[in-house]
Amino acid sequence: METDNVIILNNKALVLCKLNRLENSLGYYNKTLKLDSDNEYALEGREEVLKKIKNND
């Protein structure tokens, strides 16, 4: 099920991050930001995911 609802997309990204599915999470944060480039929650969440990915390397 695809959606263009930024709240749903952002929540999916958050859950995936908590499940440590970082690449999937990043994808949903990016989808959110394509629809709403100023979304503070998505910007902060994406930053958190990128830090986690960097620390896992």
Side-chain angles (χ1 to χ4, degrees):
M1 177 180 95
E2 284 299 312
T3 181
D4 61 355
N5 183 311
V6 294
I7 295 171
I8 292 171
L9 291 170
N10 196 65
N11 285 341
K12 281 184 168 183
L14 178 62
V15 169
L16 289 166
C17 180
K18 292 193 180 287
L19 293 172
N20 208 36
R21 293 177 51 193
L22 302 177
E23 296 296 330
N24 295 109
S25 176
L26 186 59
Y28 278 102
Y29 280 127
N30 287 334
K31 286 180 185 181
T32 301
L33 291 167
K34 281 184 184 178
L35 296 170
D36 179 7
S37 61
D38 295 326
N39 186 298
E40 290 180 40
Y41 298 109
L43 289 168
E44 291 173 8
R46 184 177 67 173
E47 187 65 30
E48 179 182 341
V49 168
L50 290 172
K51 284 180 186 176
K52 285 184 176 188
I53 289 172
K54 183 178 179 182
N55 289 335
N56 285 343
D57 287 339

